[in-house]
Every structure is written in structure tokens, then in C-alpha cells.
């Protein structure tokens, strides 16, 4: 299975949206806290992990 950059980032965004929706739907914490603190941190961590994963994949193929 081959992933292009837009497909991979779309999957990452979908995972983040599902995670935030689960927290909001589960009423784990106030909505404001979820949207102002949790969602951005999930996005930053996801992008960092994505970037490291891409670089590691490039290293493994070289």
C-alpha cells in the first residue's frame, strides 16, 4: 500500500478528529479545555511523530 503526503496527512487529521470527538462526546473534561489544550497538543505530537516516522523510513530505505 502506498501513501502520498496528502493521504497520510488526511489519515493523521482523521485520527486527531476522532480522538477529540471521543473526548468531547465522552464528557471527560470541559469543552473549552479540550479544544484549547488537548486538540493542539494532539496535533503537534502527531506532526512530530509523523515527521520522525518519515525520516526513519527514509533512513531505513537508504
Amino acid at each position: 500500500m502506498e501513501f502520498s503526503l496528502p493521504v497520510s496527512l488526511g489519515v493523521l487529521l482523521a485520527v486527531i478528529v476522532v480522538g477529540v470527538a471521543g473526548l468531547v462526546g465522552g464528557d471527560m473534561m470541559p469543552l473549552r479545555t479540550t479544544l484549547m489544550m488537548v486538540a493542539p497538543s494532539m496535533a503537534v505530537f502527531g506532526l512530530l511523530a509523523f515527521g520522525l516516522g518519515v525520516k526513519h523510513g527514509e533512513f531505513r530505505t537508504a
Side-chain angles (χ1 to χ4, degrees), residues 3-34:
F3 288 105
S4 63
L5 183 61
V7 172
S8 299
L9 290 177
V11 170
L12 176 64
L13 180 64
V15 169
I16 291 171
V17 167
V18 168
V20 171
L23 286 172
V24 169
D27 204 26
M28 301 287 179
M29 59 187 72
L31 178 64
R32 182 177 173 146
T33 303
T34 303

Side-chain angles (χ1 to χ4, degrees), residues 52-62:
L52 286 172
V54 167
K55 288 300 176 187
H56 180 67
E58 290 174 356
F59 170 75
R60 294 280 296 176
T61 59

